[in-house]
Amino acid sequence: MSEILDLAGIFVFALTGALMGVRKRLDVVGMAMLAEITALGGGVVRDLILNVRPAAFQSVGYVLVPLVATAIVFYWHPHVTKVMPVILVLDAAGLGLFCSVGTAKAMEYGLSPLHATVLGITTAVGGGMLRDVLAGQIPTLLYDRQLYAVPALVGSATMAALSSYGLHGWPVTLAAAVLAFGLRIVAMRRKWQAPLARGAGE
């Protein structure tokens, strides 16, 4: 069940990476690269920090799913763009899944709850940051002020807390993911933003 959830998150993140490639007028190879990096980058960084072989290199599905997402965007990107609100909702779901799964894995490898939380956030937002850097723009996480990392923080911290109390398994992981997802959706609908430094202009 956890692998299915993981692949679902990978597919959604890959869609956003491929769409970035379309906006940057990249060819299909560039689109595929952005899709793979967006979908797998955070998890690879997490596993390298944990000093284990990245999960992306242990299953063919982890590599193929972003390619499927690339093909969908390549042939039907005008239609995919039209359903961007749905993509954003799915992206929020991917954020929740990745932060909770990343935190759970970090806890399994003996990290403290604090370090596991940090690694869960990295899993959720790392791929998007790598995507933006490769696409030649400042990572949106740093300047759009939308609450993106904060929901990941809440989900990761919740997952770490539950794990530290001996609660494990996919229902717990899913519960933490739903919490992060819900917070992200509410932030988007209410247009919540992180504050600027005092005295800084808009």
Side-chain angles (χ1 to χ4, degrees):
M1 181 65 177
S2 61
E3 184 174 352
I4 294 175
L5 294 176
D6 217 12
L7 290 174
I10 284 172
F11 178 75
V12 174
F13 278 10
L15 284 178
T16 66
L19 285 169
M20 172 70 78
V22 172
R23 289 196 294 270
K24 293 293 182 178
R25 299 183 61 82
L26 302 183
D27 60 21
V28 66
V29 176
M31 289 173 59
M33 287 297 296
L34 286 187
E36 295 280 358
I37 288 292
T38 307
L40 305 177
V44 169
V45 171
R46 173 202 65 209
D47 290 344
L48 291 176
I49 292 175
L50 293 175
N51 198 28
V52 298
R53 185 169 63 175
F57 297 100
Q58 299 184 51
S59 172
V60 175
Y62 282 77
V63 178
L64 292 183
V65 166
L67 295 181
V68 172
T70 301
I72 291 173
V73 174
F74 182 80
Y75 287 106
W76 297 291
H77 67 86
H79 303 288
V80 175
T81 303
K82 287 180 182 178
V83 295
M84 198 61 199
V86 177
I87 298 295
L88 289 175
V89 171
L90 294 176
D91 180 76
L95 179 79
L97 288 171
F98 274 37
C99 74
S100 58
V101 169
T103 305
K105 186 168 185 176
M107 291 292 288
E108 289 173 7
Y109 278 84
L111 269 65
S112 70
L114 175 60
H115 291 107
T117 297
V118 172
L119 208 50
I121 298 169
T122 301
T123 305
V125 305
M129 292 190 70
L130 291 172
R131 173 201 65 207
D132 293 343
V133 170
L134 286 177
Q137 66 181 43
I138 300 173
T140 53
L141 185 69
L142 302 181
Y143 71 84
D144 70 355
R145 295 178 56 212
Q146 293 185 12
L147 293 187
Y148 197 79
V150 172
L153 168 62
V154 172
S156 295
T158 300
M159 185 71 234
L162 293 173
S163 294
S164 66
Y165 281 103
L167 298 174
H168 306 284
W170 70 262
V172 177
T173 304
L174 188 59
V178 168
L179 177 61
F181 166 76
L183 181 56
R184 172 62 179 154
I185 292 297
V186 172
M188 285 194 298
R189 292 192 173 179
R190 296 185 176 235
K191 301 186 183 304
W192 288 345
Q193 295 182 322
L196 292 170
R198 186 176 181 180
E202 287 288 344

